[in-house]
Each structure stands twice: as C-alpha cells, then as structure tokens.
Amino acid sequence: MLLLLITKMELIVSKQPSILHICLSKGAGGLEAYPAKVGKEFLSLGYKVYGLCLSDSWVEGAMEESGLETFSVSSKKSLLLTKIPSLLIWLKEKNVEIIHCHKSGDILIAAILDSLKSFKIYFTEHMGAKRPKKSLFHRWSYSHVDQVLSISNETYQRNLKALPIVPEKIEKLWLGTYIPNPQELASHNPEKVRDELGINKTSYVVGCLGRICQGKGQMELLEAIAVMRKQRSDVELLIIGGLTKDLGSEEEFVSRLKKRVEELGLQNVVHFTGYRKDVLNVLSAADSVCLPYYNEAFGLTAIEAMSAQKPIVAANTGALPEVLSDAALLCNPLEPKEIADSIAKFYERPALAKTVSSKAYQRAEKKFSLKEHIAKLEIHYCRSYSH
C-alpha cells in the first residue's frame, strides 16, 4: 500500500490527462453505472472527464447526474455513418488523451478515433470474453487497445485465451464500491422499509439484488423460498432490481418469474422493489442476502451486500468464490434445495450469521472500496499518459 501511495504521488505531479468514457448501452446495470461512478470520482480529483453515450439512455442520465459532459448519439450506426468527424473535433476541443471503453462493441469506435488521432485506449472487460476473438476484424480493433482491465481472475483467464492481445496488456483490476461506515448503516430504518414494501415486521427476509434475468438465479431462489416455507412460514423474499428492459431486466423472464410466484401462491411473500437508488437502505430490511448467479464475471452486487454487513449465500461458480472468499456460504446455484439449506443455516444460527456478516464487511472494506479502485486506476492512467 505504501508503494502504491508513493507511486501515485510521483505520478500526480504530471499533467492530468483528460478522459472519455464510452458506453453505448441501452441498459441499466453495474456495467452501465461504472463509467458515471468512476467519472464522478475523477472529476473530484481535478480531472476533465467526458462521456460518449446513446441519447435518452439510462447511461446518459447517470453520466450527466455525475457531472460528466456528454456527446450523445441516437445510435451506434448514426455515430459510425455521420458523427465521427464532429466527435473527433469535440475530443480535440476537450483535449482528450485517454479513451476508456466498457463494452466490446465500443472498441470499434475507439479504434477508428485512434486511427485518426492518437489516444491511449483502455478497455474494462466487465464480462470476460466467452468465445475467441481472433478474426482479422478483432485483431485490427484490439491492436489499438493499450490496456485490458479484467475485473476478476475469472475474466482474466477468459481474456488471456480469447483476446488477440499480448498477455502484458491484460491485467486484473477488481472493481470497487462505496463502503458505508457503521454509523451510516445504523442510521437506516429497516422497519420503515418493511412498512413501505408490505413486509411483515417479524418475518425472516431474504434479499436478492441485481439484474433480473436468466442466469442470475432468481427463479431457483424463488423455488428455494417455496421449499423453506414448508417448514418456516415466516420466510419472505425481497427482489431488488429494475423490472423493465430500459432498467436492465429481461422482461420475458420477469413475466415468467411473476407467473411462477402466482403458481406457488406467494404473491404476499415475494416483494419486487423495482429499480432503487437507495440499495443499502432497502437491504437494511433483509436478514440475509442470496446471490445464486450461475456464472458471474465479478459480482458488484456481492460487494454491496458485503458493505451492507449482511450474511451472504452465493453461487459456488464464476467469480463469486473469488470475491467473497470465506465471507459467505457457497452452494450450487442450480439446486433450489441446496440454496434453501444454506439460507436455513443463517436462519437457525444467528451467531453464524453475525460472524459471516462481520467478516464480509471487513473484506469489502479492505479489498473492494471505491477509493482503493480509483487509486489503482489513476496510476494506470498516469503511467500511460507519461509514456
């Protein structure tokens, strides 16, 4: 940590580069929130930070709310066909030296811009490449990328195999989030949240947060709750996340999930909050959190649950074991009975729940703070600019 601080102090004396974040996504989720969140932090450090996004998208709203000046386009196609010259002029006016991409499809835009005027190109690989990208097109576009940042060891290993870029340009950089202090956590009012959502004051509440879609395990978790209620009628489920496509969900999956709730007769037991900005406040109403994601690339929601000081049950697949380590109970996300048995351990053993939640909070504070992430990302930016 001392070496990190010294290196940062050495680099900060040089001119701070101006940064453009590209995120041409129509969705709303951790990936889409990241450019705005990181951009806001760098603005507070005195950097000039800008955004390239789709007009009227959730990303545009998040960027502007965070203080980023944006160049907005109606579609990626319109950008490629007519807007590149005006975008390039805009970037020159803003003295942008670094372009940071967040979706693989955005790399083409960065590569074209780099062909016309030299930039340093970063790509945070939020998903981990799942199939080889070794075609001539991919080789050309990725040849303009100076640094790939993999958000977990899981994605790092995928990227080493799949991307047409030398290993030296691929590095692991865990994401980070805001970690509230204990006083802030204590200020939340779980009783008020339960009243708002219609949750029984004495129920045992299992929370689940994140994008509502196939692969995040909400259907298996619902079946697990149905299993638990055969013996524990006071168990309720709290599902936090947007319910429409523009807020990140798969609407067809949401419909199937709600239909299954009705089939199980759990309409008064399962609570959908929709998209919430006050996630930590809503999580205060939960006794534990379950994240049965099948093959998560990282798990920013896991860090949010850790920072909320909640005992966590999570999938034993993907990057969640790496992120959570021994600060959670892990289980097969495809087996509702196993999910139910894991949650029941916290239900039946409050002392275990307290120990695990405390360990989770300490791990989040030490390994996944936004401050730590920004410090490491800043060193990357400054090093590339100085070269």
Side-chain angles (χ1 to χ4, degrees), residues 213-226:
C213 61
Q214 189 68 41
K216 293 293 187 179
Q218 289 98 350
M219 191 69 78
E220 287 76 11
L221 176 55
L222 174 60
E223 298 294 343
I225 295 299

Side-chain angles (χ1 to χ4, degrees), residues 80-107:
L80 288 169
L81 292 178
T82 65
K83 298 293 184 180
I84 291 294
S86 56
L87 172 59
L88 192 61
I89 292 171
W90 187 75
L91 294 176
K92 289 180 178 178
E93 290 175 350
K94 305 302 180 184
N95 296 314
V96 168
E97 297 96 352
I98 289 177
I99 296 178
H100 196 150
C101 304
H102 301 280
K103 289 175 66 68
S104 59
D106 300 335
I107 292 176

Side-chain angles (χ1 to χ4, degrees), residues 24-89:
L24 298 172
S25 171
K26 296 179 180 179
L31 183 157
E32 289 82 7
Y34 177 86
K37 181 165 60 175
V38 168
K40 182 177 181 179
E41 293 298 315
F42 274 90
L43 283 172
S44 71
L45 294 173
Y47 287 78
K48 299 293 178 77
V49 187
Y50 306 94
L52 173 60
C53 56
L54 298 178
S55 304
D56 301 318
S57 64
W58 186 90
V59 173
E60 180 184 48
M63 284 182 170
E64 291 179 349
E65 186 177 338
S66 294
L68 277 66
E69 183 180 342
T70 61
F71 188 102
S72 302
V73 294
S74 59
S75 66
K76 184 176 178 180
K77 182 179 180 180
S78 70
L79 172 59
L80 288 169
L81 292 178
T82 65
K83 298 293 184 180
I84 291 294
S86 56
L87 172 59
L88 192 61
I89 292 171

Side-chain angles (χ1 to χ4, degrees), residues 22 84 87-88 91 99 109-117 119:
I22 303 179
I84 291 294
L87 172 59
L88 192 61
L91 294 176
I99 296 178
I109 307 300
I112 292 172
L113 292 170
D114 190 48
S115 298
L116 299 170
K117 178 187 180 298
F119 296 94

